[in-house]
Amino acid sequence: MHHETARPLNTPFWTPGVWVMLGFMLCGAGAVLARYIGGIGYVSNLTHARPWGIWIGIDVASGVALAAGGFTTAALAHIFGRHEYEPVVRPALLTAVLGYTFVVLGLMVDIGRTWAIWKPMIFWNFNSVLFEVGMCVMTYLTVLYIEFIPIAAERFGKTIPLLGRLNGLVGKIMGVFIVAGVVLSCMHQSSLGALLLVAPTKLHPLWYTPILPLLFLTSAFAVGYPMVIFETTIVTSSLRLDSEMKLLSRLSRFTVLLLGIYLALKIGDMIFRGTYAYLLDGTTQSNAFLVEVGLGVALPWILLWFPMVRTSRKSLFAVSTLIVFGVLLNRINVFLVGFSSPITHTRYFPAIGEILITAGLIASLMFIYRIVVTYLPVISAGKLEEVRP
């Protein structure tokens, strides 16, 4: 996991963007305080008949999928031996650590009895898919923090001897944790899709399928590298760093294959089950499905075949944004748009409290990412004034 060129950025921290993030964090904190004082119903439009909202669709399901860059880059660099991709492994690992941490925090806000979240660790239910998801996420988050130890030790190992000794111990068996991280990721990414297999009458036919776990897993594979390109482009642009385009361009070639597999499964399943009959019925669900697959999967897959798109920074960022948008919309469609409760027909729209908490969580993730890359050796890209002649 050692990477020689990664270094702290040591750039001015309090920029206008950071102050904006702080503003969203304070608004989100106020909404969280109101949620714990007044209850979930006080800040949300959730009810007993419709208990799932954007906290599940965005904070949890989408958060898990968009953190897939962590295990996909780790597999590429450390299991398949493509060490030229090492410069993007640490930023992807940091995104995964923070992404899963905030998935847990989002769950703490969403579940009614937060204080009982520890119970699955004691009271095991092997017949529950949700139990498997919970245990996998908890174990994987622990593995991610262990994988992050060498990064912290590089910066503070000499001043904190215990951290240095821990790094030496972990370093001897780091390969075990990397393989475990990939296996655990594959397990819970697919199991999140399996959660909906018990609801064939509640989920719209355009999304309900026996291969939903496979679609969740392949979509996580497909969005892993585009998410790395998306975040790397934003970070290098905002901090005036080298774009690392040669690396990102090569990385995008894997997406042609992975996104193509996901698209083939999606369309093949629709044809096999005959659900294409719902495509043009003009409902909210059919329109949402067309936007998800058309703009978020098919269009970027076609564009990625062109070398001029893969080698252009703006074009590659635009295509990666479409793929990230497509997977994000897929999780929202599966858990919200396509899911209907049999005991209520009222439409759901998130309350301002739900939106503030979600925005606050995302801003907090970005704020901590900014702190970490400023003071720890995560980013390898050089500053523009250093790389330009």
Side-chain angles (χ1 to χ4, degrees):
M1 294 290 286
H2 179 69
H3 192 255
E4 294 182 352
T5 59
R7 57 184 177 177
L9 291 179
N10 290 323
T11 54
F13 183 78
W14 293 105
T15 61
V18 172
W19 283 108
V20 172
M21 283 187 256
L22 193 60
F24 279 110
M25 290 166 61
L26 290 174
C27 293
V32 169
L33 188 63
R35 175 258 180 265
Y36 280 104
I37 293 175
I40 293 178
Y42 183 68
V43 297
S44 75
N45 286 334
L46 302 177
T47 63
H48 290 297
R50 183 176 284 278
W52 287 357
I54 60 170
W55 292 340
I56 290 297
I58 296 178
D59 301 4
V60 177
S62 301
V64 168
L66 299 183
F71 84 89
T72 52
T73 54
L76 183 64
H78 299 298
I79 295 179
F80 296 109
R82 302 296 297 271
H83 297 292
E84 66 268 29
Y85 294 101
E86 290 275 4
V88 297
V89 171
R90 285 189 172 190
L93 173 62
L94 175 58
T95 303
V97 170
L98 295 179
Y100 277 88
T101 300
F102 279 87
V103 163
V104 174
L105 293 178
L107 269 179
M108 297 282 281
V109 172
D110 185 70
I111 59 176
R113 291 183 291 178
T114 303
W115 58 89
I117 197 171
W118 57 270
K119 287 192 174 182
M121 291 188 288
I122 305 299
F123 304 104
W124 293 7
N125 182 357
F126 294 110
N127 295 317
S128 168
V129 176
L130 193 57
F131 170 75
E132 190 257 331
V133 172
M135 296 304 286
C136 276
V137 169
M138 183 181 66
T139 309
Y140 181 51
L141 184 56
T142 305
V143 168
L144 285 173
Y145 276 104
I146 291 173
E147 291 180 356
F148 205 78
I149 288 175
I151 299 174
E154 271 186 44
R155 181 70 174 82
F156 299 110
K158 293 181 180 178
T159 53
I160 307 176
L162 179 61
L163 184 59
R165 287 196 292 272
L166 186 61
N167 180 42
L169 181 65
V170 168
K172 296 176 182 176
I173 52 173
M174 185 54 80
V176 174
F177 290 112
I178 292 172
V179 173
V182 174
V183 173
L184 287 166
S185 294
C186 293
M187 289 174 66
H188 71 259
Q189 292 282 1
S190 58
S191 295
L192 271 175
L195 282 176
L196 277 301
L197 291 182
V198 297
T201 59
K202 299 177 183 177
L203 187 59
H204 194 280
L206 284 171
W207 291 283
Y208 183 84
T209 167
I211 67 165
L212 197 55
L214 181 61
L215 290 177
F216 265 51
L217 179 61
T218 51
S219 62
F221 281 130
V223 80
Y225 300 137
M227 188 62 194
V228 170
I229 295 170
F230 178 80
E231 64 167 291
T232 300
T233 305
I234 290 178
V235 169
T236 54
S237 298
S238 60
L239 299 176
R240 293 184 55 76
L241 303 174
D242 177 41
S243 64
E244 299 191 302
M245 264 309 293
K246 289 184 179 177
L247 198 64
L248 299 184
S249 180
R250 291 202 301 268
L251 201 60
S252 68
R253 291 184 299 185
F254 296 106
T255 303
V256 177
L257 173 64
L258 296 172
L259 193 63
I261 293 173
Y262 174 55
L263 179 62
L265 286 171
K266 193 95 173 169
I267 294 178
D269 173 69
M270 185 176 63
I271 294 173
F272 179 76
R273 293 184 301 111
T275 54
Y276 51 80
Y278 297 95
L279 277 181
L280 302 176
D281 62 10
T283 61
T284 302
Q285 287 77 15
S286 66
N287 293 333
F289 185 87
L290 287 171
V291 172
E292 172 199 324
V293 177
L295 288 181
V297 186
L299 178 61
W301 180 72
I302 293 170
L303 291 174
L304 279 176
W305 279 95
F306 297 96
M308 62 182 296
V309 172
R310 298 199 303 271
T311 54
S312 163
R313 189 184 192 194
K314 290 182 179 178
S315 299
L316 187 57
F317 176 72
V319 169
S320 300
T321 303
L322 284 176
I323 298 171
V324 170
F325 165 76
V327 174
L328 173 67
L329 186 57
N330 172 261
R331 298 309 191 259
I332 293 174
N333 284 341
V334 169
F335 285 93
L336 296 179
V337 179
F339 190 88
S340 59
S341 169
I343 56 176
T344 179
H345 296 290
T346 58
R347 290 182 178 274
Y348 163 79
F349 191 82
I352 186 67
E354 293 173 79
I355 296 172
L356 286 177
I357 289 176
T358 295
L361 287 173
I362 295 172
S364 301
L365 186 154
M366 296 169 66
F367 185 83
I368 297 175
Y369 185 100
R370 183 75 166 82
I371 292 176
V372 174
V373 300
T374 300
Y375 299 107
L376 292 181
V378 174
I379 303 291
S380 300
K383 296 181 180 178
L384 283 179
E385 57 267 28
E386 296 173 351
V387 297
R388 284 176 177 170

